[in-house]
Amino acid sequence: MASRNDEISICNCNGLGCAAKVPLLSALSREDLQKVNALIVRYTYKKGDTILKLGSSFGKFMIVRKGKIKISTLSPDGREQILYILTAGDFFGEYNLLRDKTEDYQAQVMEDTVVCTIEKKDFEQLLLKYPNISIRILEGLSDRLERMESLVKTISPKDVNQRVSMLLMDLSHRYGQTTRDGIIVEIPMSREEMANYVGIARETLIRKLTTLKECGAIDFIGRRKMKILDVSLLESDIKNASAFI
């Protein structure tokens, strides 16, 4: 969990509370949701708080009620490697339901975030009583595996242009909203985090983004929004490494 210096408020949820807010539990009846909710403790974290550190033990199942959490590890050269970004409805801590070992990833809060937690022993009982929750977890793990495979594909190409274009396409699929003027993407990461995600230097990422803007593929809306103007240019860049060299 986070350090003692972090401001964390802990409270028991009332009514249907957290349980009714997450897709993982949405198939349960109102009565069952109330029973599940009685097991939940809600934590509120501030931006920058560390929920889970590398090498620590973790005995809880956690569901993001609102906010964003960055799950990352360290690359062989000691740099941060972002694995995925969790948003409302996502969960983590499921691996420790199957085995007891220290974690090989860390979880850090990207914006003010609320998570709902259930102790391991309580969650194991839930899985026995409500098998459909197990199915939802398997579906979630399948989606996460697809994201990891996408990450491998993103960082595998040696060509930096391909990496950046693949990242932008992934962000547009997950966070984009199609408008008449293009795809508006709410970017959940800083420029540094985007660079870490694809395994390049921040300066290199900025140069490539600038080049894509000059080519008419994208435009910037502040620091955390981007407009994709021409998807075909990004797709061409992915297929042809020399498209923007």
Side-chain angles (χ1 to χ4, degrees), residues 127-159:
L127 296 182
L128 292 174
K129 187 173 182 180
Y130 307 109
N132 57 318
I133 295 180
S134 300
I135 295 174
R136 289 294 184 93
I137 289 178
L138 289 175
E139 291 173 347
L141 292 178
S142 178
D143 290 341
R144 194 168 295 171
L145 179 59
E146 287 183 8
R147 293 185 198 175
M148 291 298 296
E149 291 175 346
S150 176
L151 172 61
V152 171
K153 292 177 182 177
T154 301
I155 64 177
S156 293
K158 295 182 179 180
D159 186 84

Side-chain angles (χ1 to χ4, degrees), residues 53-234:
K53 295 181 179 179
L54 281 169
S56 61
S57 297
F58 197 59
K60 292 180 173 62
F61 183 81
M62 302 189 79
I63 304 169
V64 183
R65 181 171 182 178
K66 71 174 183 178
K68 291 186 179 70
I69 298 174
K70 174 177 63 177
I71 305 297
S72 64
T73 188
L74 294 179
S75 64
D77 60 1
R79 291 194 302 175
E80 179 187 53
Q81 175 62 64
I82 297 176
L83 302 176
Y84 33 83
I85 305 295
L86 302 179
T87 56
D90 290 331
F91 58 85
F92 68 104
E94 69 283 349
Y95 293 120
N96 248 2
L97 298 177
L98 305 175
R99 84 284 193 264
D100 292 312
K101 60 178 295 187
T102 57
E103 301 296 348
D104 54 4
Y105 65 87
Q106 58 191 8
Q108 187 173 34
V109 177
M110 303 179 71
E111 63 183 39
D112 290 357
T113 293
V114 177
V115 297
C116 299
T117 69
I118 304 177
E119 293 290 336
K120 177 181 177 180
K121 58 181 178 60
D122 292 327
F123 200 77
E124 288 174 343
Q125 293 303 310
L126 285 179
L127 296 182
L128 292 174
K129 187 173 182 180
Y130 307 109
N132 57 318
I133 295 180
S134 300
I135 295 174
R136 289 294 184 93
I137 289 178
L138 289 175
E139 291 173 347
L141 292 178
S142 178
D143 290 341
R144 194 168 295 171
L145 179 59
E146 287 183 8
R147 293 185 198 175
M148 291 298 296
E149 291 175 346
S150 176
L151 172 61
V152 171
K153 292 177 182 177
T154 301
I155 64 177
S156 293
K158 295 182 179 180
D159 186 84
V160 171
N161 299 291
Q162 286 181 307
R163 295 190 190 188
V164 174
S165 291
M166 290 174 74
L167 171 61
L168 297 185
M169 289 295 292
D170 181 57
L171 292 175
S172 71
H173 290 151
R174 294 172 58 190
Y175 305 106
Q177 181 177 1
T178 302
T179 70
R180 287 185 297 178
D181 300 324
I183 303 174
I184 307 298
V185 182
E186 185 102 24
I187 303 174
M189 297 178 276
S190 66
R191 298 291 190 267
E192 181 74 27
E193 289 166 334
M194 290 173 68
N196 288 341
Y197 190 85
V198 293
I200 61 177
R202 179 177 180 273
E203 295 74 15
T204 303
L205 172 80
I206 292 174
R207 285 199 301 271
K208 298 307 175 184
L209 292 177
T210 300
T211 301
L212 288 170
K213 179 180 179 181
E214 292 172 349
C215 290
I218 64 172
D219 197 7
F220 303 111
I221 308 174
R223 294 194 57 80
R224 285 303 179 100
K225 282 188 178 181
M226 183 178 298
K227 184 187 295 184
I228 297 180
L229 302 171
D230 194 334
V231 172
S232 65
L233 286 177
L234 296 180

Side-chain angles (χ1 to χ4, degrees), residues 24-62:
L24 182 65
L25 306 173
S26 61
L28 300 183
S29 68
R30 182 181 181 87
E31 181 181 357
D32 287 338
L33 282 172
Q34 289 175 328
K35 293 177 181 178
V36 172
N37 210 64
L39 303 174
I40 288 176
V41 176
R42 189 176 68 199
Y43 290 73
T44 301
Y45 294 92
K46 298 295 184 182
K47 179 180 179 180
D49 286 348
T50 297
I51 298 178
L52 179 64
K53 295 181 179 179
L54 281 169
S56 61
S57 297
F58 197 59
K60 292 180 173 62
F61 183 81
M62 302 189 79

